[in-house]
Amino acid sequence: EVRGALLQPVPWLLTLAFAAYALQFFAVVIWLPTFLQEQRDMPDALIALLSALVIAANVPGNLAGAALLHRHVNRGRLIAGVSLVMGLAGLGIFHPHAPDSLRYLCCLVLTGVGGVIPVAVLSSSVVLAANPQQIGTLQGLYVQGSNLGQFAGIPLIAGVVAASGQWQSALMVTAPAALSGIVLGLLVARSGK
């Protein structure tokens, strides 16, 4: 059962798309409080509130993703479209001359719209599994993709930013992740699954 589930190409594409999403999501979630403290010297309570709102924005995206999939919107196209929006929001977040209000709005957009991707990926297991026994295998694969995005992305971004001394260098990691999400989503859409 495990082998049969893992021999399909589409779950691997979805796993990589989930990794690309997680990298971008956690880059913003980790960046925001650090930026607000180091660069804007905001009070801890305000930093906590602004950071919590950025994380909470993911919930409406999750609900919207479920509604769109229920209306039979192609999950690959959803992933590609959302990855595009996340990439554009990332450009706004890490642009060196963007005003703080725009940066924060882009944070909300990135995590809010991005909430569609976990639903699109995780719900696919019931469609792609040949039988109920394969669902757990696919879910495990997807979660490992998310873990990979967090595990590799956060230190990579920290290293790039530390080496350059500039937050906008994070785009060297987040922009390729967004582009990867677009390509992976389009490949999933082409698969017809």
Side-chain angles (χ1 to χ4, degrees), residues 6-79:
L6 298 180
L7 284 176
Q8 301 179 75
V10 173
W12 291 99
L13 297 172
L14 292 168
T15 298
L16 293 172
F18 205 12
Y21 154 82
L23 185 151
Q24 295 172 84
F25 178 86
F26 284 98
V28 169
V29 169
I30 299 299
W31 166 80
L32 182 62
T34 306
F35 176 80
L36 294 175
Q37 184 181 46
E38 288 180 0
Q39 303 294 318
R40 300 301 183 252
D41 198 28
M42 287 188 173
D44 291 346
L46 183 57
I47 292 170
L49 175 64
L50 293 173
S51 300
L53 290 173
V54 165
I55 294 169
N58 201 244
V59 174
N62 295 154
L63 298 173
L68 291 167
L69 288 169
H70 185 70
R71 294 175 192 261
H72 306 291
V73 176
N74 181 285
R75 81 182 64 249
R77 289 189 183 133
L78 276 177
I79 292 169

Side-chain angles (χ1 to χ4, degrees), residues 166-186:
Q166 300 176 343
W167 279 109
Q168 62 262 30
S169 298
L171 281 171
M172 293 171 54
V173 179
T174 60
L179 184 59
S180 297
I182 294 167
V183 171
L184 292 162
L186 293 174

Side-chain angles (χ1 to χ4, degrees), residues 28 31-32 35-36 40 42 54 85-86 88-111:
V28 169
W31 166 80
L32 182 62
F35 176 80
L36 294 175
R40 300 301 183 252
M42 287 188 173
V54 165
V85 172
M86 290 179 74
L88 293 173
L91 290 174
I93 292 167
F94 297 114
H95 190 281
H97 304 297
D100 287 348
S101 57
L102 177 62
R103 285 181 176 201
Y104 188 72
L105 178 63
C106 288
C107 288
L108 292 170
V109 168
L110 187 140
T111 60

